[in-house]
Amino acid sequence: MREPQLRARRTPAAGDRGRGDRGGGARQRFERIEALTKADRGREADLELQQVERLALPQHLAPELALVRAYVDVANSRRTAARENFEQAYLAARRVGDDAVARRAALSRMNRLNDDHRLRPLWDLWSRLAEVEVERSGTLRDRLSLQLARATYLRSATTEYARAYDLLFPALEECEADRECRSSTLSPYLMDALGIVYTELGDGEASLAMNRRALARWTEMFGPRHPVVAGSLDNISGSLELLGRYQEAAETEEEALALRLAAVGRDTVVVAQSYNNLAGVLMQLEQLPRAASYLRETARIEEKLYGPDSPELAVTLMNLGSALHTLGHQAEALRLLQRSEQIQRTTLVPYHAETMYTQALLAGVFHSLGDYAASERHYLAALKVIELRRAPDHLGAAMVQQNYAVLLRRLGRAQEALALVSRVRKRVSERAGESHVYLADLDTTIAVLETELGDTAAGEQHVRQAIALQDSTLAPDDPRRFESLLALAYLLREREPAEALALAERALGLLAAAHPDLEPAAELHETLAIALVRTGGDRSRARESACLAEQLRRRSGDPSPAGHKRLKALGLLTPPCP
């Protein structure tokens, strides 16, 4: 379970491109350097800038040189230097009355403050300075660039997605109505930002449509192999993931990664972004070892470029902790998630949307470790974030609530859990329709709870509904089928043991790839043992499965007296298991 990353976090170049022809040769080189930074070719831009800085440039070009130097710093992840150079460019531009450079520098300096809420007073100052510069002599594009910058802050720093939408939607409409703005890069930048907001609001269809529109515009402007296209592919992958189309999402993200590797090489911000996003989709496809490998590489690059306490690294550590938690490596997962939590506590606003996932994952680890009080405490913290920052029908929020229901079941509060998951299912189906593959997970959870509460007919109806949806959306050997197959086998093992045996055998084939907790694995072996006995199957195999169930339950710390009693009554625990 992970948050779609906030992809394609770019800064549009607002304002005019210089003043007249004075220093024309240098200005052409400035434009070439900027083009290299926009193509994610930061190292080449750095080398070109070093050559320009050796020239005896006219004094009136000092503001532009400082501005270009700042763009190169951004492209090479030198955050502090970038901020200082944007400030220097702004002050130098104001000294010589260069309104165009002053506007661009103020907008860019403002954008460099979007990710750290601790810098909010400074962001407010530069936001106001940028507004003054735009009012002084700005164009329509400058004004819309200011709206984009403010929306980006609302989206990334404070996660106020509805307010960001209220700025972006009219800005895009106004830009598209103006021929000059429509033909500029501001137009697809606005589309990118609006597509991300739709994703964060949980509207997969609107997100996919907007991100495809942005991709078409970027491709029209720069061709299909330019690195800027990879940002739109990132966003499309996020939309497909939200819609449950995980294989398409993975293929799209792999396309973005290949494009970036060919253009800029491995140890770069954008490649780390692709690694992180691809890993997230692979986790949904249960390809956890591969996902963990990508995430470790992402963490290495981000710590090298950003240092040990960046918000980007916090998200990567969170995702890596999620993969390791599912793989059963709870100690390492806990260490990484607590480090992520600490970074987020100091760099993000309280109840930032990304903290929902960190809190929910910490809850899952404590659940696996048997510390149910700590688990519920973290789930309640995640639910508070949902209350303040997320629509309750957002896919990520739904998954958090479903996992909390699993804990409630373990705490003996099955009725409360059933009410919660039923509400979640209703909301998700109203938002995404009845064909979203995630509904099968919710139906399976509902079936397990109904069965535990004694309504086996309703439980069977829900789990068969889940399997039917998976039959139409997943491959036969997809590990996401494991839980539903097990739930139906458990329901039928006494009444229809032959069907239960066939279902349990299918689930057994998915066991290794599904990476379940110890309890579901124990339940599968118990079900297999009972079905083998009831169908007159291989008794020695039935005993082997019964003993495996006992061993797994001892390891999980939940001996399940009822399960032990059933297996003992069938004579499968005599003599005692080793």
Side-chain angles (χ1 to χ4, degrees):
M1 180 178 48
R2 63 95 182 205
E3 177 178 17
Q5 302 293 305
L6 304 179
R7 297 165 170 86
R9 299 166 93 169
R10 310 185 195 91
T11 304
D16 304 320
R17 308 284 288 192
R19 307 183 313 171
D21 291 321
R22 294 176 298 150
R27 188 162 285 118
Q28 288 177 357
R29 297 189 74 171
F30 289 163
E31 291 179 352
R32 169 174 163 70
I33 292 169
E34 281 194 56
L36 289 170
T37 64
K38 291 174 182 176
D40 295 323
R41 293 162 64 182
R43 293 172 185 170
E44 294 175 61
D46 216 354
L47 292 173
E48 181 87 7
L49 176 62
Q50 290 172 27
Q51 294 177 15
V52 172
E53 287 177 326
R54 296 190 187 102
L55 303 176
L57 297 177
Q59 186 59 35
H60 71 266
L61 291 180
E64 285 183 77
L65 177 61
L67 184 62
V68 170
R69 189 181 292 123
Y71 288 141
V72 173
D73 288 331
V74 171
N76 288 281
S77 304
R78 298 191 291 258
R79 291 181 170 181
T80 301
R83 290 169 178 171
E84 291 172 352
N85 279 314
F86 281 128
E87 289 181 14
Q88 183 179 338
Y90 177 78
L91 294 173
R94 283 274 52 91
R95 279 195 296 270
V96 300
D98 190 333
D99 291 345
V101 171
R103 281 198 308 275
R104 294 176 65 194
L107 283 164
S108 297
R109 182 66 180 91
M110 172 185 168
N111 270 297
R112 301 274 68 75
L113 299 165
N114 279 341
D115 292 328
D116 192 336
H117 81 95
R118 296 171 299 180
L119 303 176
R120 178 62 187 262
L122 199 54
W123 184 89
D124 287 337
L125 170 64
W126 282 101
S127 176
R128 179 60 185 140
L129 284 174
E131 183 178 358
V132 168
E133 295 299 334
V134 168
E135 289 175 349
R136 188 196 311 273
S137 58
T139 64
L140 171 67
R141 280 190 292 162
D142 293 321
R143 180 168 56 80
L144 297 182
S145 293
L146 179 60
Q147 282 185 239
L148 172 60
R150 286 174 169 167
T152 300
Y153 184 85
L154 291 170
R155 171 177 62 78
S156 62
T158 65
T159 59
E160 297 175 77
Y161 302 121
R163 289 184 63 195
Y165 172 86
D166 289 342
L167 288 173
L168 290 169
F169 187 82
L172 178 60
E173 286 195 322
E174 195 169 356
C175 183
E176 291 293 275
D178 180 82
R179 187 171 65 179
E180 183 180 354
C181 186
R182 187 182 186 282
S183 63
S184 73
T185 57
L186 179 59
S187 174
Y189 275 130
L190 287 165
M191 293 175 193
D192 279 335
L194 189 54
I196 293 169
V197 167
Y198 278 131
T199 299
E200 296 299 343
L201 289 171
D203 193 338
E205 294 293 349
S207 167
L208 182 60
M210 184 57 65
N211 288 327
R212 283 178 168 165
R213 186 176 164 190
L215 175 64
R217 187 67 58 81
W218 285 121
T219 303
E220 176 187 332
M221 289 180 171
F222 295 105
R225 305 306 301 168
H226 193 281
V228 74
V229 171
S232 285
L233 292 173
D234 272 341
N235 295 339
I236 289 171
S237 175
S239 303
L240 292 167
E241 184 180 356
L242 185 62
L243 292 167
R245 293 158 62 178
Y246 300 125
Q247 189 59 50
E248 292 177 70
E251 291 167 359
T252 303
E253 198 61 64
E254 285 173 338
E255 184 180 350
L257 174 60
L259 199 160
R260 284 168 166 159
L261 284 171
V264 300
R266 288 187 177 278
D267 281 14
T268 56
V269 171
V270 289
V271 167
Q273 179 183 349
S274 277
Y275 282 154
N276 202 13
N277 295 339
L278 178 56
V281 183
L282 293 174
M283 287 165 66
Q284 300 291 351
L285 292 169
E286 303 290 349
Q287 297 181 33
L288 294 167
R290 187 178 170 209
S293 176
Y294 276 125
L295 288 166
R296 290 189 191 280
E297 182 66 5
T298 304
R300 181 191 68 78
I301 295 171
E302 288 177 342
E303 191 150 9
K304 174 183 174 183
L305 296 177
Y306 295 142
D309 299 312
S310 72
E312 293 87 351
L313 181 61
V315 172
T316 300
L317 295 176
M318 175 187 70
N319 287 341
L320 180 55
S322 176
L324 294 171
H325 163 52
T326 309
L327 286 166
H329 306 315
Q330 306 304 341
E332 186 179 3
L334 181 60
R335 178 178 62 78
L336 293 171
L337 290 168
Q338 287 176 333
R339 183 180 170 195
S340 176
E341 180 187 34
Q342 180 60 37
I343 295 171
Q344 290 177 337
R345 188 178 291 123
T346 58
T347 60
L348 301 180
V349 293
Y351 305 111
H352 190 287
E354 286 176 2
T355 65
M356 174 188 76
Y357 294 94
T358 308
Q359 293 302 318
L361 287 165
L362 281 165
V365 171
F366 281 117
H367 186 168
S368 296
L369 293 172
D371 190 343
Y372 301 142
S375 179
E376 183 164 26
R377 186 168 64 251
H378 283 288
Y379 273 129
L380 292 175
L383 293 176
K384 184 66 175 178
V385 177
I386 293 172
E387 176 188 338
L388 295 173
R389 300 293 190 199
R390 289 287 192 197
D393 58 355
H394 185 279
L395 189 61
M399 290 178 176
V400 170
Q401 293 171 89
Q402 180 192 9
N403 288 346
Y404 180 44
V406 174
L407 175 67
L408 292 175
R409 178 196 175 206
R410 175 56 64 91
L411 293 172
R413 293 151 64 183
Q415 193 67 58
E416 186 181 345
L418 179 59
L420 175 59
V421 180
S422 298
R423 288 196 302 271
V424 170
R425 193 205 185 283
K426 182 174 184 293
R427 290 167 178 157
V428 172
S429 66
E430 288 173 351
R431 166 62 71 86
E434 286 291 331
S435 61
H436 196 293
V437 68
Y438 176 57
L439 291 176
D441 290 348
L442 292 171
D443 282 333
T444 300
T445 301
I446 289 170
V448 170
L449 292 165
E450 288 171 333
T451 301
E452 186 164 313
L453 291 168
D455 193 347
T456 55
E460 183 176 347
Q461 179 182 348
H462 270 110
V463 75
R464 288 193 184 278
Q465 182 174 299
I467 290 173
L469 177 55
Q470 290 172 336
D471 285 342
S472 67
T473 54
L474 302 179
D477 59 350
D478 193 301
R480 285 172 288 173
R481 289 174 169 269
F482 174 83
E483 295 285 351
S484 58
L485 293 171
L486 172 58
L488 186 54
Y490 178 89
L491 265 167
L492 300 177
R493 65 190 188 181
E494 297 287 357
R495 179 163 48 89
E496 299 288 345
E499 185 179 356
L501 180 59
L503 291 163
E505 295 281 18
R506 287 180 63 191
L508 185 64
L510 303 176
L511 181 62
H515 305 287
D517 290 336
L518 295 173
E519 174 54 31
E523 192 169 280
L524 172 60
H525 285 291
E526 179 187 304
T527 297
L528 192 60
I530 293 171
L532 282 166
V533 171
R534 297 303 187 204
T535 57
D538 185 341
R539 193 167 182 86
S540 64
R541 187 178 173 218
R543 173 171 163 76
E544 181 183 346
S545 287
C547 288
L548 268 173
E550 290 285 291
Q551 292 165 10
L552 289 166
R553 286 196 165 117
R554 283 197 297 271
R555 285 172 56 196
S556 73
D558 181 13
S560 181
H564 178 83
K565 185 176 180 180
R566 274 192 297 270
L567 295 174
K568 189 173 182 180
L570 293 172
L572 294 174
L573 303 182
T574 306
C577 295

